Structure formats: C-alpha cells, structure tokens
Amino acid sequence: MTEYWQEISALTMRWVRRLSREKFSMLFTLVQPMLFWLIFFGNLFQRAADTQVTQAPNYISFLAAGVVVMTVLNNGLAGGVDLLFDKENGFLERLMSAPIRRSSVILSRFIFVMTITSLQVLVILGVASLFGVHPATGLLGVATILLIGMLFGVGLTAISMAMAFSVKSHGDFFSVLGFLSLPMIFLSSALVPLAAMPGWMSFLARFNPMTWAIDAVRPLILSGWSEALPHVAMVIPVMLAFDAICLYGGVKAFRRAMG
Amino acid sequence: MDRAIAIEVNRLCKDYGSHRAVADLSFQVYEGEIFGLLGPNGAGKSTTLRILITLLQPTSGNASIFGHDTVREADRVRRLIGYVPQERAIDRFLTGREHLQLLSALYHLTREDAARRINELLKLVDLEAHADRPAKTYSGGMKRKLDIACGLLPNPKILFLDEPTLGLDVQSRLRIWEYVRMLKARGMTVVMTTNYLDEADQLCDRLAIIDGGCIKALGSPTELKVALGGDIVSLTIKETDRIAGLASALANQPAIKTVRTTSNGLDIRVESPEKALPIILETANRLGCGIEFIEYHRPRLDDVFIAHTGRRITDTAEQPVE
C-alpha cells in the first residue's frame, strides 16, 4: 500500500512539475478562455438576455454555473492529452515496464485533473463574485459545486483517456475533441435555459449530462438550498452512472492498449 | 560449459489482426552475455522485445525471465529488468535528475538510496553538469545517455535496449557501445535490437537474425560467418546486360558455391579463391564481360544476413509492423 502511494504521489508530482514549467501555455489555454466566457460573454449579453427567460437577476449570474461546468468539461476532455503524448513518445512504456500497479498512472492523472479543475472553479467563482454573483448556499454550497464538478470530471477524464489510448494519432484525438466540446456546450443549459431553446435542441440537451450538472450548480449559486437540494439529490446518482459507464470504457481501452 | 539461462523464449507468436509480427520464435539468452536481435525495420524485433519486458502479451507461446513467466508473473519480471525504449522517451519539461527521481519512486527506492543511486548514474553517463536542466535543452546524445541512466536505475539483472544507437552521431554511438561493454563486464545481461550490422558484429556475443518474424540464423558473429563457408568475390561488370549470362555460366563451375546477382555485378561465394579466381576471370573474358572492379573478402555479417534472408538489411521489410 505504501508502495502504491509512493507511485501515485511521484506520478502526480510529475504533472504538477510540468504545469509549473508550462505556466504561460496553461494560463492561456485553460484559465483564460473560461474567464473570457464569464467576463465578456456574461457582460456582452447582459442586456440582450431577458431576465424573465433566464430567471436570474442578470445574465452573468445565470452564466456563472454554465462557465463552472464548462471548465469541468474542457479540463476533463483534455485530461487524457498528456497520456496521449506519453504513449506517442514512449514515456508510457517506460513507466509501464516498471513494477508499478497498472492503475497508478491513471489515478495520478485523475488526481491532478480534479485538483486543477477545482482550483479553476474557485477562481471562476471568485471572479464571479467581483461581478456581484455570490453563491446563495455559502461555503457548503461551494463545496457541493466542487463535488458535482469532480463527479462530472471523472467521467469526462475517463472518456478522454479512453480516446488517448484508442486513437492512432494525436491529430485524431484533437479533431474528436473539437467535435465534442462545442456541441456539448450549445446542447446544454449553459448559455440559455432549456425552456427558451428550440424544441429539438432542448430535447437533445435533456440527455446531456452537462445539463444535469448545470441544473444542480445553478440553484446552488442563484437560489439557495431549498431549491438546490432536489437537483443535487438527482445529479449525484446520474453522475455516478455516467462515471461508471465512462470508467468501464476507459478501463477497456487501457487494457487493450497495454496488451 | 553449461551456462545459466537468463531468458527462455518458447514458440512465441504475436499477431496483429491477420498480420503475424512474430512467428514461432524460440531462443535462449545466457546470463552475462550481450544478445542481439538483428533485422530490418518491421522484422519483429521490437515486438519480441516488448513481449519480454511484459508490455505485450503473446498470441501464443511464452517467454520467461530467470524462470518467471512474462505474463503470469509480470510484476516479478518487471523487478528484474531495465528498459531503454527506442524513441527518446524523455519528458522535456523535467530535468535529468527529476526523471531519475520519478523512476526511483516507481521502483520503490527509499529517498536516501535514490539520491545515492541517482548521483552514481549521473556520473556514469557523464550528465552531472546538466542534471538540473530541463531535458528539452539536451542534445540527442545527452537524451540517449539519460535514457540509458533511466534503464539502469533499478540496477537490473537484464537490460533491454531497443535500437540503442539509432540516429546517433558516430561519437555518441561509440560511447554507448563503451557503456554496454562495461555493463557486461559488471555481469549484467544485455539484450538489444539493432538494424546496424557493424553494431551487432562489434558488440554482441550472440545474435539472432530475424526477418519476417522468424529467426533465420542464431549464433556468435564469428560462428555465423564461418558457417557460411567460403569467401566472397564481388564483381562489378560494365555490360550489365551480360550479368545474367555470366551468372548462369559460373553457377555450375567447381570451386564456386553460390552466385548472387547484384544491381551492377555478382557476389560469388567461393570455396577457395586460388581455384575460383582463374575460372571467374576466364569465364568473364570468354563471355565478353568487362570487369570494372573486383573485390575479394572474408564473409562479413552482411553476407551472413543476405545468405539467410535473401536481401540486404537496408532493403525495406515486406510488411511493416503496426
């Protein structure tokens, strides 16, 4: 058990070290876009968005939940990229020829992605509060938001890793990624409530796990516990089922790739 | 002399879909020797190596390292081996020392043991001065040295090297050869793949020539050359259209073992040059073949390779793997 922990912590430290040496690219690719959505998109649509439709005091407070979950989405879907590069340049083989548990590499990646995502979610909530959006459910609400984010993120990261282990080249990986990410956002309640969508879009959005996550995070930010609790109670089993499916696929892809 | 067996490979096969990358491979590697898997790209060398280091499972057959099966006892095997991959498997954001630190955690060394071992290895591969620079600043040769240090970190009983000098300049190549010889002197068993004939010739105690997933020949470089029998006379002919005629005229002559057509002449394996040379020259003269160049040499490893595979090692393999 101590050996297992030694492996996981050393591998996690590797991801942290890499991040610390790629500060700029990380800052630009991960942190900024999400803040841009919140700051620019949120303020841009302040008057265009009808508060009657969004059921929120202003558009930016409506959007905050969407941006939080979009952060989880993007980080999760990109979570397997580094393993893909490790696979391509042989580093993964080097790790796998060591007497480590096969799961250590994957677990280290989950721990890293979840930690970074949680930190980013906190930054986004912090920036949102500069625009006057304060989570109605307080610190416990913020903790719940992080929990939902992690539950959603685990499944997404598993999808990303499954792709990383299955694709032939990283070109394929990024095309699939680009193809997945935007429709997931548009076909969810991130930018517009389901009720205000064209029928076919709201129909599809209902099946999007992202919608479920947002619908739980949004009342945690906007309304308070009485409205949030039923959503939270719903989203947890839904996310657990989502994770179970994704992890099953991920493990299969990993087994196939690792002989 | 009975030598301890380090690796036992028994009827090993590996299929990728309908393509058979490794076909019924059996061989043994003795403890303390440098064993080479020699073959062109796509011959199945790397696939064999990956099975031995537990990264691939064979379709059928088995392999064992010091008696431990590479599939059923993969974890035991991993504790006995070190691996230097073919690609420069380097994380360019980590320093050389950090690579070794990461690996020492994966081999479960204590902090003190790790620090001592890392310093030893950095000294060994001459990277002490660059240990704390990110690997992206390293040259190709330095990356290769770091690769080797990583493979040696667990102090393995067997070190596996996949194309250790591919793409290196001459000086770095000689340096790597020097390391490999030193490791052997320390009693380590080394298994390497290569598609360089001179490397196999200079470095390996024994080698297996692999082509199309099969072993074509196995033995020490000297044994293989001797077994070929006879020396080689190479002719370059001016009239390329008469090469075929000359070949058939020479084929049945006494003192001549085999005749092989090349792009601009003939490679003739002869039993004894004093008997064969006059016959060759006389026949060429009679058929009006102008000899531009004639060379006579003892069998070299490339002659061995051609004799067993029917082509030069630099020719592309018929079916590339993966």
Side-chain angles (χ1 to χ4, degrees):
Chain A
M1 205 56 212
T2 51
E3 286 193 348
Y4 197 22
W5 180 242
Q6 194 183 11
E7 294 159 14
I8 294 173
S9 57
L11 289 163
T12 309
M13 263 315 287
R14 173 180 168 224
W15 304 124
V16 175
R17 282 207 171 114
R18 283 175 64 113
L19 181 75
S20 72
R21 288 183 195 152
E22 286 183 292
K23 283 187 201 94
F24 279 107
S25 78
M26 280 297 163
L27 212 64
F28 284 110
T29 57
L30 290 177
V31 181
Q32 303 287 40
M34 289 305 111
L35 286 178
F36 290 162
W37 275 97
L38 188 70
I39 296 167
F40 292 128
F41 205 75
N43 285 307
L44 189 65
F45 281 72
Q46 200 69 287
R47 293 187 50 209
D50 188 339
T51 50
Q52 287 298 107
V53 173
T54 57
Q55 298 283 311
N58 50 36
Y59 187 63
I60 200 163
S61 60
F62 173 84
L63 191 64
V67 172
V68 163
V69 178
M70 276 156 64
T71 305
V72 175
L73 176 80
N74 282 359
N75 282 8
L77 287 181
V81 174
D82 293 68
L83 289 178
L84 177 65
F85 289 134
D86 273 1
K87 185 184 91 171
E88 291 191 337
N89 74 13
F91 204 86
L92 192 64
E93 287 204 332
R94 159 160 286 151
L95 300 179
M96 286 303 175
S97 68
I100 58 171
R101 302 232 191 157
R102 307 291 90 181
S103 51
S104 296
V105 176
I106 289 181
L107 271 176
S108 75
R109 195 66 204 160
F110 275 117
I111 292 171
F112 175 75
V113 174
M114 293 309 126
T115 309
I116 295 300
T117 306
S118 298
L119 289 175
Q120 281 178 245
V121 167
L122 290 176
V123 169
I124 284 163
L125 291 176
V127 172
S129 77
L130 293 179
F131 288 97
V133 185
H134 305 291
T137 48
L139 279 183
L140 190 60
V142 172
T144 313
I145 292 171
L146 291 180
L147 174 73
I148 295 168
M150 280 194 221
L151 283 173
F152 188 35
V154 164
L156 293 164
T157 310
I159 293 177
S160 180
M161 289 188 197
M163 268 165 50
F165 289 122
S166 316
V167 290
K168 289 265 183 286
S169 74
H170 61 261
D172 291 356
F173 183 91
F174 288 107
S175 348
V176 176
L177 202 66
F179 186 78
L180 267 180
S181 150
L182 275 182
M184 284 279 277
I185 293 171
F186 289 130
L187 291 175
S188 79
S189 51
L191 309 175
V192 175
L194 291 195
M197 284 183 188
W200 65 274
M201 282 181 87
S202 75
F203 176 78
L204 290 176
R206 251 181 268 281
F207 297 99
N208 185 347
M210 197 165 156
T211 302
W212 292 78
I214 294 166
D215 286 354
V217 171
R218 186 162 288 144
L220 284 168
I221 294 175
L222 286 182
S223 323
W225 283 111
S226 56
E227 203 166 309
L229 261 183
H231 287 288
V232 174
M234 271 302 280
V235 79
I236 288 174
V238 168
M239 284 303 152
L240 287 175
F242 173 70
D243 290 346
I245 296 168
C246 298
L247 285 171
Y248 176 74
V251 168
K252 268 187 88 163
F254 180 67
R255 289 240 167 95
R256 202 172 39 233
M258 291 287 101
Chain B
M1 184 177 76
D2 261 351
R3 300 178 65 185
I5 289 170
I7 302 176
E8 173 97 54
V9 176
N10 188 19
R11 311 212 62 177
L12 203 65
C13 295
K14 178 69 185 178
D15 297 340
Y16 289 107
S18 63
H19 170 54
R20 176 151 282 196
V22 172
D24 203 16
L25 228 57
S26 298
F27 60 87
Q28 294 171 332
V29 176
Y30 300 121
E31 195 172 358
E33 73 175 346
I34 302 176
F35 187 86
L37 295 167
L38 173 70
N41 294 329
K45 295 168 296 178
S46 292
T47 306
T48 308
L49 197 77
R50 280 187 175 76
I51 293 173
L52 294 179
I53 60 171
T54 75
L55 292 182
L56 275 180
Q57 293 195 4
T59 308
S60 65
N62 59 65
S64 61
I65 309 285
F66 287 109
H68 301 291
D69 186 88
T70 56
V71 178
R72 277 180 289 106
E73 299 171 273
D75 198 64
R76 285 297 299 276
V77 170
R78 290 180 194 126
R79 286 169 201 273
L80 296 171
I81 61 167
Y83 172 46
V84 181
Q86 179 175 343
E87 303 91 349
R88 307 284 176 273
I90 296 287
D91 184 333
R92 54 198 207 96
F93 292 104
L94 298 187
T95 67
R97 191 185 303 278
E98 284 164 350
H99 276 85
L100 296 166
Q101 282 167 344
L102 170 64
L103 283 169
S104 52
L106 301 187
Y107 285 94
H108 315 113
L109 297 176
T110 63
R111 202 176 282 268
E112 300 77 48
D113 286 348
R116 190 161 36 76
R117 183 109 190 94
I118 289 168
N119 285 330
E120 270 171 32
L121 285 170
L122 288 170
K123 187 177 282 179
L124 177 80
V125 298
D126 207 12
L127 276 180
E128 282 167 306
H130 315 284
D132 297 307
R133 271 170 35 196
K136 63 179 165 191
T137 64
Y138 286 12
S139 68
M142 287 163 73
K143 283 181 183 161
R144 204 61 190 148
K145 288 191 208 169
L146 176 58
D147 260 335
I148 289 179
C150 289
L152 289 174
L153 185 108
N155 198 12
K157 295 195 73 167
I158 308 182
L159 183 68
F160 290 90
L161 301 160
D162 199 0
E163 304 280 359
T165 64
L166 192 71
L168 287 189
D169 58 85
V170 179
Q171 216 171 5
S172 308
R173 263 186 101 190
L174 293 176
R175 200 64 201 273
I176 303 289
W177 289 5
E178 210 177 286
Y179 292 144
V180 173
R181 288 198 186 101
M182 181 193 60
L183 295 171
K184 176 190 149 75
R186 291 183 177 188
M188 199 177 282
T189 309
V190 179
V191 176
M192 56 187 282
T193 68
T194 182
N195 57 24
Y196 294 130
L197 289 157
D198 57 336
E199 184 162 280
D201 204 357
Q202 297 263 332
L203 210 51
C204 296
D205 295 314
R206 288 193 315 135
L207 52 95
I209 293 182
I210 298 189
D211 192 32
C214 306
I215 293 187
K216 302 289 185 184
L218 181 87
S220 73
T222 318
E223 273 166 20
L224 290 172
K225 286 182 244 176
V226 169
L228 206 56
D231 297 350
I232 290 162
V233 177
S234 297
L235 300 181
T236 307
I237 309 281
K238 213 177 285 168
E239 295 80 5
T240 44
D241 53 322
R242 295 190 188 156
I243 291 174
L246 181 61
S248 57
L250 285 172
N252 298 317
Q253 299 278 4
I256 287 174
K257 293 183 79 170
T258 62
V259 180
R260 206 179 72 87
T261 323
T262 60
S263 58
N264 56 357
L266 294 174
D267 276 352
I268 306 159
R269 273 209 339 252
V270 301
E271 229 152 67
S272 68
E274 15 351 314
K275 282 189 212 149
L277 272 175
I279 299 173
I280 293 169
L281 293 175
E282 189 269 316
T283 315
N285 205 17
R286 181 160 50 81
L287 295 179
C289 300
I291 295 177
E292 265 192 340
F293 186 71
I294 184 160
E295 189 205 15
Y296 159 79
H297 62 86
R298 314 292 324 243
R300 291 179 302 218
L301 205 53
D302 50 341
D303 302 312
V304 174
F305 189 85
I306 291 166
H308 289 288
T309 65
R311 60 203 166 95
R312 296 193 169 275
I313 196 162
T314 43
D315 298 347
T316 347
E318 289 142 34
Q319 281 175 303
V321 188
E322 288 151 309

